[in-house]
Amino acid sequence: MSAGRIASTRLSGIDWPANLLLPILALAALPFMSFSTWLTLTVAGAAMGMMLFLMASGLTLIFGLMDVITFAHGAFISLGAYVATEVVGALPGMAASHSWVASLAVLAAALTAAILVTGVAGLIFEIVIIRRVYGSHLRQILITVGGLIVMQELLVTVWGANPIPVQKPAALQGSVEIAGAAIEIYRLVAVGLGLAVYAGLWLLLSRTRLGLTVRAGVENLEMVEALGFRVKRLFVGVFVAGTALAGVGGVMWGVYQGLVTPAIGPEMMILVFIILIMGGMGSVGGAFVAAILVGLITNYSGFLVPKLALGSNILLMVAVLLWRPRGLFPLVKS
Amino acid sequence: MADRDLLQLDRVVTHIGAYHILHGVDLSVRRGRVTMLLGRNGAGKTTTLRSIMGLWKPRAGAIHFDNARIDALDTPDIARLGIAYVPETMGIFSQLTVQENMKLAATGGRFDPARLDDVFRFFPILKTKWNDRAGLMSGGQKQMLAVARAIVEERRLMIIDEPTKGLAPAVIDQLIACLLELKARDTTILLVEQNFHMARSVGDDVAVMDNGVVVHNGLMADLAADEALQTRLLGLNLGSHQ
């Protein structure tokens, strides 16, 4: 199955041009640098892409099924990052230990706590705000921007406005040498986690009845209801899952950055929306490919043409939209 | 509501946005019979079906199913009473396979082997296309799938909206054969149809709508035999349309 077709399964034929874009971009950069530099930049770009995917996957799922555009997603990313500061700070012995088991356990504890906290926060947000604005994009944008501001102020109230440091667990610091290239261990962990989440979503959406219902709902919500499925409950579940994924992204990004501020999530939202638009609004597989594209182009352009680095993602998005106006893997809606 | 009636609409009023579509629909669907809902385009037939399914909420009036009021229920709860709905647009999930479309219509995603055999006997092409994406099928095959989803489980009522629209005669004959067999098993069906050949073949009772109200109730055979009545109610006669 095509990587870009999780939410919109394509069973006959693979969309080769869209799927080949990623390897073409990676290979196109190789002649302009040494292999070890290319490998370092590619792994770093993939790792950044995976962290972006973790942040974007929930949002694209929410849009794909619920047709809800939420600008408050960034606040859930920040919340996840703050939870990481609490959990890592509460386990200083384990975080300082050079044991792999202890370091991964600290990270797992932070991820689990973030999933719970951002999931519950997402549930409250859906009940209090989102369910009142179904079907109206303008109202969704306005009220979720308001919700973002309120949530950010709540984060400031709880954790203060000053940056809070969070250290990487000791065994995840430093780098390893692979084929002459220095690769940060934490980036490898991020790649592993991103792939695991992608695989989990793929299995959930393509191999379970719940996933079948979600895929059907993305296409024709009304008919799913007419078949007896209580879509409102599904909506709540998807929104909670989406915010929990934002929390996971927040943990990984917060620990990677080493400093957490209330703006750590909202600052990422421009890239997250670029990924959503470029991948095809609502497509989880599209978000996966687009997130890695963004990670790679940022690193390659930062190395080759530093002045272009800032706008490289916008240029990539423009190029993709000129080629495919609805994104790389657009969803089919009835 | 008489015991013989499975579904009854009393003075149902439905608006769609600013438009007032149903002006007080009274309609009864008797148990074990096929009730045809006829009328000119825009008469309110589809709106009536969607109001029954809760897809458009009536502003006034009452809808009873098996003596229980259902017009305040949500669509999933109405469907769970054992009502299958085949919309005019067919409602096929084009990105899913035929099998996945059918799984969504089967309780718990598990098929009753006997019912599945029935489906394949009515529509053999669905067995051939079982693992194909539904969006790749022809219009007739999609309609077969839409009806198959409705019959893959035992239903208390089937509501079908214009199943023959735009289909080839051979496909229409297949659908008629399927509906006639369901009728022989005393399945209760409410069927909107513009194809008079089908209406006459499968209909027991008939209700004719005009301008958002039911203007005629009776037996389908009586309407089919009365050309003057057909002309008055529908602006044409059934005998001239096969």
Side-chain angles (χ1 to χ4, degrees):
Chain A
M1 181 188 287
S2 151
R5 294 282 175 173
I6 278 191
S8 57
T9 315
R10 182 180 179 131
L11 295 165
S12 70
I14 292 173
D15 185 357
W16 286 111
N19 277 293
L20 287 175
L21 192 58
L22 204 53
I24 287 171
L25 177 73
L27 291 175
L30 186 54
F32 299 100
M33 58 192 82
S34 69
F35 179 76
S36 62
T37 305
W38 176 82
L39 188 60
T40 302
L41 291 175
T42 301
V43 174
M48 184 183 173
M50 290 298 178
M51 285 186 266
L52 288 169
F53 168 69
L54 291 171
M55 298 177 212
S57 56
L59 192 58
T60 203
L61 207 56
I62 289 168
F63 179 81
L65 178 68
M66 302 166 67
D67 199 26
V68 166
I69 300 171
T70 167
F71 278 77
H73 203 68
F76 293 99
I77 296 171
S78 299
L79 180 58
Y82 276 113
V83 171
T85 66
E86 294 292 336
V87 173
V88 175
L91 302 167
M94 286 176 74
S97 165
H98 286 272
S99 152
W100 275 94
V101 175
S103 291
L104 289 175
V106 171
L107 190 61
L111 291 169
T112 306
I115 287 170
L116 291 173
V117 172
T118 53
V120 170
L123 177 64
I124 296 167
F125 198 83
E126 199 278 339
I127 292 169
V128 175
I129 293 179
I130 296 294
R131 71 175 52 173
R132 295 163 205 285
V133 291
Y134 283 135
S136 170
H137 283 163
L138 181 61
R139 292 172 70 200
Q140 287 163 10
I141 291 168
L142 292 173
I143 201 163
T144 56
V145 167
L148 170 67
I149 295 167
V150 170
M151 282 189 69
Q152 271 194 282
E153 290 307 312
L154 285 173
L155 293 176
V156 170
T157 304
V158 176
W159 281 286
N162 294 325
I164 296 178
V166 53
Q167 69 169 74
K168 287 191 192 92
L172 306 184
Q173 295 174 12
S175 55
V176 291
E177 196 175 305
I178 300 173
I183 310 288
E184 275 189 64
I185 295 170
Y186 188 79
R187 291 179 193 263
L188 290 174
V189 173
V191 170
L193 182 65
L195 287 173
V197 168
Y198 179 73
L201 283 172
W202 185 84
L203 285 172
L204 179 76
L205 290 170
S206 64
R207 293 284 183 268
T208 68
R209 186 165 169 79
L210 177 67
L212 185 60
T213 313
V214 170
R215 282 188 289 143
V218 165
E219 193 177 336
N220 188 339
L221 210 53
E222 190 177 272
M223 195 61 220
V224 173
E225 286 203 300
L227 288 171
F229 292 92
R230 295 190 175 98
V231 172
K232 283 175 188 165
R233 289 184 193 173
L234 191 62
F235 274 11
V236 176
V238 167
F239 196 84
V240 168
T243 53
L245 282 169
V248 170
V251 170
M252 294 306 290
W253 188 242
V255 173
Y256 177 70
Q257 293 289 86
L259 277 179
V260 176
T261 68
I264 192 171
E267 281 170 356
M268 301 305 291
M269 289 310 288
I270 291 177
L271 284 180
V272 167
F273 276 112
I274 287 174
I275 289 164
L276 256 61
I277 293 165
M278 201 158 63
M281 294 288 283
S283 164
V284 176
F288 181 77
V289 173
I292 301 174
L293 277 173
V294 164
L296 292 182
I297 198 82
T298 302
N299 276 11
Y300 293 152
S301 62
F303 179 77
L304 294 170
V305 198
K307 287 183 178 175
L308 202 65
L310 207 59
S312 59
N313 292 305
I314 305 276
L315 289 174
L316 178 66
M317 181 178 71
V318 169
V320 166
L321 293 182
L322 284 172
W323 174 39
R324 295 208 166 169
R326 294 177 60 223
L328 290 171
F329 302 96
L331 288 183
V332 174
K333 292 253 184 191
S334 295
Chain B
M1 184 176 182
D3 256 2
R4 64 177 192 177
D5 296 330
L6 181 62
L7 178 75
Q8 182 155 341
L9 282 70
D10 296 306
R11 298 179 181 280
V12 170
V13 174
T14 302
H15 291 69
I16 305 172
Y19 300 99
H20 189 169
I21 308 295
L22 302 185
H23 296 267
V25 171
D26 293 306
L27 175 70
S28 297
V29 175
R30 291 165 65 183
R31 294 175 199 273
R33 293 175 71 85
V34 178
T35 301
M36 304 301 306
L37 189 58
L38 307 181
R40 298 180 179 93
N41 285 337
K45 306 182 295 294
T46 294
T47 306
T48 301
L49 300 193
R50 291 178 63 85
S51 298
I52 295 167
M53 289 305 298
L55 294 166
W56 285 327
K57 291 289 180 196
R59 277 200 193 173
I63 302 175
H64 288 87
F65 178 75
D66 205 11
N67 294 313
R69 191 160 173 175
I70 63 167
D71 48 274
L73 298 181
D74 289 332
T75 300
D77 297 317
I78 294 170
R80 283 167 182 238
L81 294 171
I83 302 177
Y85 174 55
V86 181
E88 190 179 0
T89 53
M90 296 182 269
I92 295 301
F93 304 112
S94 60
Q95 296 295 308
L96 306 188
T97 64
V98 170
Q99 182 185 17
E100 288 173 329
N101 269 274
M102 295 287 284
K103 265 187 179 176
L104 283 168
T107 305
R110 287 179 294 276
F111 296 116
D112 173 351
R115 301 287 299 190
L116 200 56
D117 283 347
D118 276 349
V119 167
F120 291 148
R121 189 163 48 79
F122 290 137
F123 310 118
I125 189 71
L126 296 183
K127 193 169 189 177
T128 312
K129 303 271 185 183
W130 193 238
N131 290 312
D132 289 355
R133 195 155 60 92
L136 299 174
M137 298 199 301
S138 70
Q141 290 164 349
K142 285 179 187 169
Q143 189 60 267
M144 290 178 198
L145 176 56
V147 174
R149 275 194 321 207
I151 62 175
V152 74
E153 289 274 306
E154 186 77 43
R155 313 286 188 190
R156 296 168 71 195
L157 172 66
M158 287 175 61
I159 297 176
I160 309 176
D161 196 354
E162 292 205 44
T164 64
K165 195 175 179 182
L167 300 187
V171 179
I172 293 174
D173 288 343
Q174 253 182 300
L175 287 173
I176 290 175
C178 169
L179 292 173
L180 285 174
E181 186 159 336
L182 292 171
K183 177 181 168 175
R185 296 181 195 171
D186 292 333
T187 308
T188 309
I189 301 173
L190 174 58
L191 179 59
V192 166
E193 187 51 71
Q194 302 267 18
N195 181 303
F196 299 124
H197 171 51
M198 173 177 261
R200 194 166 42 190
S201 300
V202 302
D204 295 311
D205 304 313
V206 64
V208 181
M209 291 190 71
D210 195 22
N211 284 327
V213 292
V214 173
V215 294
H216 172 82
N217 279 297
L219 296 175
M220 187 66 220
D222 291 344
L223 180 63
D226 190 338
E227 292 189 2
L229 188 61
Q230 294 164 28
T231 305
R232 181 166 64 80
L233 294 172
L234 300 164
L236 37 77
N237 67 68
L238 306 187
S240 63
H241 289 73
Q242 296 298 315

